[in-house]
Amino acid sequence: MAEGEVSRRAVLIAGAAGAAVVAIGGGLALWNLASDRPAEPVPPDGDAATSPDPDAADTRDGETFREPEVLASVDGRLDLDLAAAVATATVAGAEVGVLAYNGTMPGPTLRVRPGDRITLRLRNDLGAVTNLHTHGMVVSPEGNSDNVFTMIDPGGSFDYEYRLGDDHPPGVFWYHPHHHGTTADQLFGGLYGAIIVEDAADTVPVARERLLVVADIRFDASGAVAPATRFDRMLGREGDVVLVNGQALPTLVASPGERERWRIVNACASRYLRLRLDGQRMSLLGIDGSRYAEPRELDEVVLLPGNRADVVVTTAAGESVLRTLPFDRGSMGMMGAPLSAAQGADLARLSVSGAAGEPGAALPSSSPRDLRTEEVTGRRTVTLAMGGMGMGGGMAFTIDGRGFDHDRTDIEVASGAIEEWTIVNTSTMDHPFHLHVWPMQLVEIDGAPVDRVDARDVVPVPAGGRAVVRIAFEGIAGRTVYHCHILDHEDQGMMGVIRVA
Ligand code: C2O
Ligand code: CU
Ligand code: CU
């Protein structure tokens, strides 16, 4: 982007960040972000974050949409090195300090197939403990596979190996740090990337495929990622800048009458995405690693933190904007405390013009397994709660009355079981509930039955409400976690340990 073309939003960021970022960014302020030490409590309006500018959306000079580098498996193998470190990024024309895998935000996209083996050496140059989680992947959570109990010290490295079964579900998954206590800080700083598992018999006829990794971020006056305030930690931090593949409001160019497959990842630490693409037709094939029986034509797609959407866009000539609308996910239930930051934002522009293309054959249907028709071998209730005093004098975030303990196993399940879980939320805020390894089929939300097969790895549990899910604990065994995917809540204890054996 040339100097004269810097958008108003960029000026806002640059105005706060300025040239000082080169000197300061990545130094002092980022140490705070990457450290194990909780950030200093700051009054909610005391941080120097840039505020959203209603006029910012009027600029017509966005960057051209780009995607992260793709590392694809060859002959069933993908071997790669990933380094987590402080990096400099250009966001809307301004230089800022972030955290990044291999120097880019998002990190590289890993593209693999069922049956593949991934070997990944993670090098930790963050100055704080980290590790890696392959969110949604149906792989072992033990040993040097997707083991979130692993801790990699600063300056150290770790060799991960992931073996995908021949029956691994196709779809879009993602990777991010998962060290309890700093997961939100590290992800919000820029550590995330996508994993695509190709469909061996892919029958979705599209003109092109795109990956959109959506993540929000906030910068302080020095151009470093803003540390969370005390209220941010309770509500779940939301950034005032929402990026797609690390870009602010990029432009996608397309021809009319074509089908495009968009894989959209919600990599935000806390923000719910309520996506609209007015003027275009969206068909949702499925959420996370699961496919609906039939594509669903929708005006809005809601993605909880951690969710992914597999969407087919049928293009129509004109200019459209991919937007996220405000979403009210509750409050702390305390007098005088702020509400969850439920701001909307423009994410990307879609510019469709030129000669009309061919939409191609009809979208395929599929026949997903329906656990509602199978015998349940066990039932349990899991209760999410907030209140009282937690670590460091903040609010406590618990599951079944307890905060996370690395060494305690909270739930034991026999391998092969099919369980029905009722996840109860006694708090005044929504919690997106995530279980590693084994997908959950949503059966009921707040008493209303879900009338289709809807399996996913993050499910909504509304404030004061409940969700009922069914889970098949088959194929893979081991010890791993379930937690709220508002990562500030997870870091403050809203996580438990499950062992399937
Ligand atoms: Cu996306 Cu346990 O995490
Ligand atoms: Cu996960
Ligand atoms: Cu939560």
Side-chain angles (χ1 to χ4, degrees), residues 47-67:
D47 59 272
T50 57
S51 2
D53 176 0
D55 294 333
D58 293 331
T59 55
R60 304 293 304 170
D61 52 3
E63 303 159 63
T64 304
F65 174 80
R66 59 163 195 259
E67 295 189 26

Side-chain angles (χ1 to χ4, degrees), residues 255-276:
S255 303
E258 287 187 340
R259 275 208 200 103
E260 298 202 349
R261 184 175 188 178
W262 292 15
R263 303 176 192 266
I264 308 173
V265 180
N266 184 354
C268 297
S270 313
R271 184 189 290 263
Y272 283 46
L273 296 175
R274 195 176 140 204
L275 302 171
R276 287 190 76 96

Side-chain angles (χ1 to χ4, degrees), residues 97-112:
V98 297
L99 303 179
Y101 288 119
N102 290 359
T104 66
M105 179 182 75
T109 300
L110 315 186
R111 201 170 173 111
V112 295

Side-chain angles (χ1 to χ4, degrees), residues 430-431 484 486 489 494:
D430 295 1
H431 300 289
C484 177
I486 288 177
H489 296 173
M494 199 176 261

Side-chain angles (χ1 to χ4, degrees), residues 148-172:
V148 294
F149 302 106
T150 300
M151 294 184 202
I152 309 169
D153 285 330
S157 64
F158 189 81
D159 291 324
Y160 286 98
E161 181 179 83
Y162 310 99
R163 291 170 181 267
L164 282 65
D166 291 329
D167 56 352
H168 192 288
V172 57

